[in-house]
């Protein structure tokens, strides 16, 4: 289980996370929802170690080191909003950038990556910048999976993506969940997409968590109201 206690984060003089407590279980999708600017992306950044933050993050009870590289080595993989692939590198080379946090003996692209995203095998020699937005999103998720993560952090994976690819990404997330070997944290603006796939619903407002419960115990109308105002 991924656990965070009293996370705080500030950019300059602006506080964006106000003592957030958060948890995500292996074998589940934890969906984080809320309006723009409430701290969702900042939460993922703090968990991934991309920005200095207060509080503590633990994985299976052990405190995680600070810093993005250290947390990637510890098993946290972050798929950022906007994808951040390398446009001048080929698809294969983009995937291989995931090797940086792996022991040398494990530096190979798992076959399961191409099973999940067959288009990437077909386009392995094409530059990342030549792919469509949906294909780039698949590449970004695949690159994260190359690191064999224990926690997968997904920030707006459906943003700007055509419906057919959104459906494909949904199937991939469901398959990863079913494997039962990683915790998945999903920040998502598409309510129906997040609601259908989530096991736990977290709603943020003003840099704090205002709702956190299993989807089975959550009221859909109540949650929709919280993320709409």
């Amino acid at each position: 289980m991924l656990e965070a206690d009293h996370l705080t984060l500030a950019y300059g003089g602006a506080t964006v996370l106000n003592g957030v407590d958060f948890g995500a279980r292996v074998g589940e999708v934890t969906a984080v929802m809320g309006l723009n600017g409430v701290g969702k992306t900042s939460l993922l950044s703090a968990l991934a170690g991309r920005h200095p933050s207060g509080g503590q993050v633990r994985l299976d009870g052990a405190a995680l080191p600070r810093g993005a590289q250290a947390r990637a080595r510890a098993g946290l993989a972050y798929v950022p909003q906007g994808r951040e692939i390398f446009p001048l590198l080929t698809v294969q080379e983009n995937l291989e950038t995931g090797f940086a946090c792996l022991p040398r003996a494990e530096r190979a692209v798992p076959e399961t990556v191409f099973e999940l995203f067959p288009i990437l095998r077909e386009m392995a020699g094409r530059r990342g910048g030549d792919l469509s937005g949906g294909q780039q999103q698949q590449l970004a998720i695949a690159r994260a999976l190359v690191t064999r993560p224990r926690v997968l952090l997904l920030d707006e994976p459906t943003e700007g993506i055509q419906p057919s690819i959104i459906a494909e990404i949904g199937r991939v997330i469901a398959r990863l969940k079913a494997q039962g070997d990683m915790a998945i944290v999903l920040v998502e603006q598409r309510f129906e997409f997040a609601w259908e796939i989530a096991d736990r619903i977290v709603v943020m407002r003003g840099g704090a968590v205002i709702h956190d419960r299993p989807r089975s115990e959550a009221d859909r109308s109540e949650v929709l109201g919280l993320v709409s105002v």
Side-chain angles (χ1 to χ4, degrees), residues 106-167:
E106 297 179 16
R107 292 181 179 179
V109 178
E111 182 62 25
T112 53
V113 166
F114 295 118
E115 293 173 1
L116 291 169
F117 302 108
I119 192 66
L120 298 183
R121 190 195 303 276
E122 299 174 23
M123 297 188 168
R126 295 185 62 177
R127 293 192 305 181
D130 294 335
L131 273 57
S132 70
Q135 292 164 348
Q136 289 183 9
Q137 185 64 68
Q138 292 178 80
L139 175 57
I141 297 172
R143 178 179 58 186
L145 296 178
V146 167
T147 69
R148 284 79 161 173
R150 299 169 65 193
V151 179
L152 181 63
L153 308 173
L154 298 169
D155 194 357
E156 303 278 8
T158 69
E159 183 181 36
I161 305 277
Q162 59 266 43
S164 62
I165 301 297
I166 291 174

Side-chain angles (χ1 to χ4, degrees), residues 39-52:
K40 305 185 301 297
T41 291
S42 295
L43 172 62
L44 294 194
S45 294
L47 293 173
R50 292 184 59 150
H51 296 284

Side-chain angles (χ1 to χ4, degrees), residues 186-208:
L186 170 70
V187 165
E188 184 54 57
Q189 287 287 84
R190 292 178 184 268
F191 180 84
E192 294 299 338
F193 181 88
W195 179 264
E196 289 300 322
I197 205 168
D199 299 281
R200 190 170 195 90
I201 303 292
V202 173
V203 180
M204 295 186 67
R205 181 181 295 168

